[in-house]
Amino acid sequence: MEQIGTIDNREILYLSTQSNPVWSNLLPTEKWVVFTIADNENKEILDESTVRILDKNVAYTCSAGELAGLTEQYFDEEICWRAVQYEERTGKKYDYEQSPMTTMHQNFSQGFWFAAVLAYDGHQEVNKVVCVDFTTRRVKKRLTELVKEINSGWLPDDAEIEPAQYDN
């Protein structure tokens, strides 16, 4: 995992799953937001990957890339499954206020801006945004540029769709 900058009080980290097979061991365990980037070729690893991320106590998930909507659905399904398991195990009603929030973004720059600036946890301060890049083409260069732009006062446009700009 590599630090690519800071925005306000948030450390922005980049992690390519393609170059690090034990990527989930590097994730933080508190006070963090995940910004995932997944494309069509990554579909088969989404289920297991969303479980790994949720196991690390993520506060907010923001999903981008070609599979943004599907990735968010995987997160939502796993959160609901865990709630059902909790209720069956304890006999108590699950408190969804304790669950991570989830979003999906078809506008890549807008999604990253949201993750880096606005995504929050009502119970604790968020101080890390981990960009988990599942793609083979990578988006590190564009994310690094966006960190600089956001720190210079840039705001995303309102375009509904903006695909990721890949490194290669």
Side-chain angles (χ1 to χ4, degrees):
M1 188 156 36
E2 178 182 350
Q3 182 180 15
I4 58 173
T6 59
I7 297 174
D8 294 326
N9 294 326
R10 294 182 178 191
E11 182 180 23
I12 311 300
L13 302 159
Y14 175 82
L15 179 58
S16 169
T17 62
Q18 299 296 316
S19 60
N20 195 329
V22 293
W23 62 271
S24 63
N25 294 339
L26 303 173
L27 296 174
T29 57
E30 61 181 18
K31 301 181 180 182
W32 70 291
V33 170
V34 68
F35 180 67
T36 61
I37 308 95
D39 286 344
N40 291 325
E41 71 266 11
N42 311 119
K43 188 174 182 179
E44 72 277 353
I45 63 171
L46 282 184
D47 186 35
E48 178 186 339
S49 297
T50 55
V51 168
R52 288 180 179 187
I53 290 168
L54 289 172
D55 284 347
K56 296 290 188 159
N57 198 33
V58 66
Y60 211 112
T61 74
C62 301
S63 303
E66 295 168 352
L67 295 180
L70 184 62
T71 306
E72 183 190 26
Q73 287 176 11
Y74 273 104
F75 278 121
D76 287 341
E77 287 175 12
E78 181 63 21
I79 289 166
C80 289
W81 175 243
R82 290 175 184 210
V84 168
Q85 289 177 315
Y86 171 84
E87 289 178 354
E88 288 177 351
R89 188 176 61 253
T90 66
K92 298 177 185 175
K93 186 155 179 65
Y94 182 78
D95 181 5
Y96 283 94
E97 292 292 321
Q98 303 300 316
S99 294
M101 297 286 292
T102 67
T103 60
M104 61 80 69
H105 305 270
Q106 291 182 311
N107 180 315
F108 182 84
S109 297
Q110 188 179 74
F112 176 70
W113 176 83
F114 181 87
V117 176
L118 294 181
Y120 70 96
D121 180 350
H123 307 287
Q124 63 181 338
E125 175 191 1
V126 170
N127 60 14
K128 288 180 185 67
V129 176
V130 180
C131 304
V132 178
D133 187 351
F134 293 105
T135 71
T136 55
R137 298 175 283 174
R138 309 227 170 96
V139 294
K140 180 182 169 191
K141 181 179 175 186
R142 180 62 182 141
L143 291 169
T144 303
E145 292 169 355
L146 284 169
V147 169
K148 292 175 187 169
E149 291 174 16
I150 292 169
N151 283 327
S152 295
W154 171 88
L155 294 173
D157 63 34
D158 290 334
E160 186 174 326
I161 297 174
E162 177 201 305
Q165 294 176 16
Y166 298 97
D167 295 357
N168 51 27

